[in-house]
Amino acid sequence: MKSSNIGGQAVMEGIMMRHKDKYAIAVRRPDKEIELKVEDYKCTFGKAAFLKWPIIRGVVSFVDGLVVGTKCLMYSAEIAGDEEDEKEAAKNATLTEEELSAKKAKEAKQFQWLLYITVAISIVVSVAAFMLLPYALASLLLALSSLLRPWITSDTLMAFLEGVLRLAIFILYIKLVSNMEDIRRTFMYHGAEHKCINCVEHGLPLTVENVLASSRQHKRCGTSFLFLVMIVSIFLHFIFVLVPGYWVRLFGRLLMVPI
C-alpha cells in the first residue's frame, strides 16, 4: 500500500480531507443533502524556513492542525444544524447588499476570534488534564501512602504512577465522550475517513462500494499516535526523577510539551 499523503479528520456529520495546499469538507445537512466545500490550505504561521526545523515544525504542525481542525468542526456544526431562524431570515431580507456584506464581514471576524480563543483554551485544558493533573495526582497518592517505599524509591514510583494515571485519564476521557450521541456519531465518521484514505491508498476507485469494503483502521491515525506520544512522555519524564523540587518538576513538564 502506497502512502497518499492525505490527512483528515471527522467533523460533525461529515469528514475533512487535506492534501498539500487543498482541503475539502463534506457535511451532511439536515435535509440529508451533502454540502461540499473546498478551501486553499495556508499555514497559520506562514512559510518561514525556521518553521521547518526539528521540534519547531512539530509544534507548528500541532497548533496549525488544531486551528484548521477546529475551524472545520465549527463550520460543520453550523452546516449540520443549519436551520435558519425565520426572524433572522426576514431581517436579512430587509438589508441592502452593502449592509448584508458588512454583517457577514463582522460575523467572519467574530468567527476568527472565537476560533483562536477555542484553540487556546483547548491547548491549556489538554496540557492541564493530560500533563499536569497526572503529576499532581501521583504526588498526592504518594504523599498519602508510604507502603512501597522500602522496595522502591518514591521518585521512581512517582514517575511510574504519573504515567499510569496519564493513560488512565486519556482512556477514561475517550470512554466518557464516546457515550455522547453526537461524539459517538463523529467517531463513526472518523472510521469513514480512514476507509476513504485506505481505499485511495490501495489504488481503488473512490466509490461507495470500495470504501465500504476498506478497513476502518489506519496506520497514520492521529488518535492512535496520541498513545505513542503518551508512552514516550512516560519515559522522558523519568529524567525528572533526579530533579529536586515539586514546582521545578511541574514546570519541567511544561517545557517538555513541545518535545
Side-chain angles (χ1 to χ4, degrees):
M1 182 174 70
K2 184 179 180 181
S3 174
S4 61
N5 292 320
I6 296 174
Q9 71 171 60
V11 295
M12 300 298 291
E13 288 299 318
I15 62 175
M16 179 273 282
M17 308 292 275
R18 192 176 88 185
H19 182 246
K20 295 183 179 179
D21 59 351
K22 294 283 186 181
Y23 68 91
I25 316 169
V27 183
R28 194 184 305 277
R29 302 177 64 94
D31 61 5
K32 305 305 178 184
E33 292 295 319
I34 296 177
E35 181 90 7
L36 180 62
K37 179 181 180 182
V38 180
E39 292 279 320
D40 292 327
Y41 166 72
K42 295 180 181 178
C43 179
T44 308
F45 299 92
K47 297 183 178 181
F50 76 92
L51 295 176
K52 296 182 180 180
W53 293 355
I55 303 299
I56 293 178
R57 67 186 178 195
V59 177
V60 168
S61 178
F62 171 71
V63 176
D64 188 56
L66 270 178
V67 171
V68 175
T70 304
K71 180 180 179 180
C72 293
L73 273 172
M74 293 169 67
Y75 169 79
S76 66
E78 180 182 347
I79 297 299
D82 189 14
E83 295 178 358
E84 190 175 26
D85 185 83
E86 292 183 5
K87 292 183 179 180
E88 184 68 18
K91 184 179 178 180
N92 288 338
T94 63
L95 298 176
T96 65
E97 188 175 335
E98 291 77 11
E99 289 173 333
L100 188 59
S101 178
K103 181 183 178 182
K104 289 183 177 180
K106 182 180 179 181
E107 291 175 346
K109 189 174 182 180
Q110 292 174 338
F111 177 86
Q112 197 75 8
W113 275 106
L114 179 61
L115 173 64
Y116 291 138
I117 292 172
T118 302
V119 170
I121 292 175
S122 298
I123 293 175
V124 171
V125 171
S126 297
V127 171
F130 300 116
M131 301 296 288
L132 303 184
L133 180 60
Y135 178 69
L137 289 177
S139 300
L140 178 62
L141 288 174
L142 202 59
L144 295 175
S145 175
S146 59
L147 295 177
L148 294 178
R149 287 189 179 180
W151 296 278
I152 187 169
T153 65
S154 59
D155 292 334
T156 303
L157 179 59
M158 168 84 77
F160 175 76
L161 282 176
E162 181 187 353
V164 171
L165 286 169
R166 181 177 294 111
L167 288 174
I169 289 172
F170 180 71
I171 293 172
L172 180 63
Y173 166 76
I174 296 295
K175 177 63 178 177
L176 288 176
V177 299
S178 66
N179 290 328
M180 301 169 62
E181 184 178 348
D182 287 343
I183 300 300
R184 184 166 62 249
R185 188 160 175 82
T186 302
F187 283 174
M188 293 169 69
Y189 278 105
H190 185 187
E193 176 231 332
H194 286 177
K195 283 175 169 284
C196 289
I197 295 178
N198 280 324
C199 178
V200 172
E201 293 185 340
H202 280 89
L204 300 173
L206 195 61
T207 63
V208 174
E209 292 75 17
N210 288 337
V211 169
L212 285 173
S214 299
S215 172
R216 63 182 175 84
Q217 308 292 339
H218 196 276
K219 60 183 179 182
R220 295 198 312 274
C221 175
T223 307
S224 299
F225 181 68
L226 285 176
F227 280 101
L228 176 61
V229 171
M230 289 189 175
I231 292 171
V232 170
S233 72
I234 291 172
F235 289 101
L236 285 178
H237 286 169
F238 269 98
I239 70 175
F240 291 106
V241 167
L242 302 178
V243 179
Y246 175 86
W247 294 106
V248 176
R249 292 178 180 177
L250 194 63
F251 182 68
R253 277 150 179 76
L254 291 176
L255 294 178
M256 293 291 284
V257 169
I259 299 176

